[in-house]
Amino acid sequence: MAHTTSKMLRYTALSFAAWAATPAHALELLVPGYFYPSTHVAQWQSLVETAQQQPLSVIINPNSGPGSTVNSDYQAVIADLHAAGATLYGYVSTAWGTRDLSAVTADLDAFNSMYDIDGFFLDEMATGTNMLGHYSEISDHITDISPALRTIANPGTTADEGYLALFDTLVAYESSAAALGSHTPASYQRNYTADRFAQLVYGANEATMQSLVNQAAANNYGYILVTDIDGAGAWEGLPGYWTSEAAAVQAVSTVPEPGSVALFVSGLALVAGISRRRQPGQARTG
């Protein structure tokens, strides 16, 4: 029994070492950059400076999509952000699945040919199982362009779990801070790593922003943006507390993968229980 306990203790220690050495997904800012480079020069420069300090993803949206011609202003900010280390996503609307597949794929192709992007942000994604086939075709087309392209799809609320088989990340919440209380996360969210989910919140004061950033790990979000701007123009500029939010996200550092800590703690409890049992030949006390 002593040998068995020793082996289990050693196995648990090695398991913990392996778990600790596995990097968790760092909480990352996901910025809808729906503001023009030449009219918001200082804000784009702030994004560059942030990307030099911490992980940053930015959604590029020249004209509710790629537009029909290359825009040199966007080419310039894309180059600057890439040099700083940012990950860039091209904005493509899917109109809740009602937009014709050929129009969606045309935008995907145009973005890929005109701009140096790392993936696509598929906005207005449907949520039901009835549209999985349509979005599977979109996913397949992106893979055909390049398997290396990442995908973030935005239903803005809970969607059928099947969409996680099609896209890397789902925006599980995009709405106001006032509506947070009525949102119930999907039960399946706990079964996946944090980088599979994003949260976009508008109309939030700075205290609410800080609270949401601090709760990101507990809520299993790997991407976040909170802004004090409210309403339809919420993403047409950076939050007034941008510097504070970037610092708060950096301070949070990492989001533990769900289940990893619980699994390790369970292992410790098991070993501790075994080690408390009387070993062969151990004298009774009392």
Side-chain angles (χ1 to χ4, degrees):
M1 184 63 160
H3 289 302
T4 301
T5 303
S6 175
K7 287 180 180 178
M8 292 191 71
L9 284 168
R10 182 174 178 273
Y11 172 77
T12 303
L14 289 172
S15 298
F16 174 72
W19 168 76
T22 302
H25 175 76
L27 181 62
E28 185 166 337
L29 289 159
L30 173 63
V31 179
Y34 304 166
F35 41 93
Y36 198 77
S38 65
T39 59
H40 295 72
V41 175
Q43 295 198 24
W44 284 98
Q45 182 57 36
S46 291
L47 290 175
V48 170
E49 293 169 358
T50 300
Q52 293 170 340
Q53 302 297 321
Q54 64 196 87
L56 177 69
S57 288
V58 181
I59 304 162
I60 302 297
N61 187 12
N63 188 17
S64 296
S68 57
T69 59
V70 175
N71 185 312
S72 60
D73 290 336
Y74 278 97
Q75 282 186 321
V77 295
I78 286 171
D80 290 344
L81 284 165
H82 265 152
T87 303
L88 305 179
Y89 294 84
Y91 175 96
V92 175
S93 171
T94 67
W96 314 111
T98 64
R99 192 177 182 209
D100 191 77
L101 178 64
S102 63
V104 174
T105 57
D107 273 1
L108 295 170
D109 292 338
F111 247 123
N112 183 62
S113 65
M114 293 193 294
Y115 298 105
D116 183 15
I117 56 171
D118 304 296
F120 294 105
F121 182 84
L122 302 164
D123 199 19
E124 301 169 328
M125 189 193 85
T127 60
T129 57
N130 62 312
M131 294 304 297
L132 282 169
H134 175 75
Y135 282 92
S136 179
E137 292 187 79
I138 295 173
S139 175
D140 288 345
H141 189 84
I142 294 171
T143 301
D144 288 342
I145 294 172
S146 171
L149 289 167
R150 285 189 48 79
T151 51
I152 299 177
N154 181 23
T157 187
T158 299
D160 185 83
E161 188 176 2
Y163 289 97
L164 284 166
L166 305 178
F167 306 114
D168 296 311
T169 300
L170 298 183
V171 179
Y173 186 88
E174 183 191 6
S175 191
S176 68
L180 278 165
S182 61
H183 174 69
T184 302
S187 58
Y188 62 70
Q189 190 163 329
R190 289 288 171 193
N191 300 330
Y192 296 86
T193 53
D195 60 320
R196 306 302 306 277
F197 304 99
Q199 182 181 45
L200 302 174
V201 183
Y202 52 81
N205 60 31
E206 188 164 354
T208 300
M209 174 276 290
Q210 184 69 62
S211 177
L212 290 171
V213 169
N214 289 342
Q215 293 169 9
N219 293 329
N220 202 35
Y221 287 113
Y223 296 90
I224 194 168
L225 190 73
V226 185
T227 183
D228 51 345
I229 307 172
D230 205 355
W235 313 125
E236 295 177 3
L238 291 179
Y241 42 64
W242 170 253
T243 301
S244 297
E245 183 166 0
V249 169
Q250 189 173 32
V252 169
S253 181
T254 57
V255 178
E257 306 297 8
S260 297
V261 176
L263 182 62
F264 175 66
V265 171
S266 297
L268 283 181
L270 175 64
V271 172
I274 293 172
S275 65
R276 283 196 298 268
R277 296 176 186 172
R278 184 170 61 88
Q279 305 299 319
Q282 180 180 354
R284 292 184 179 274
T285 59

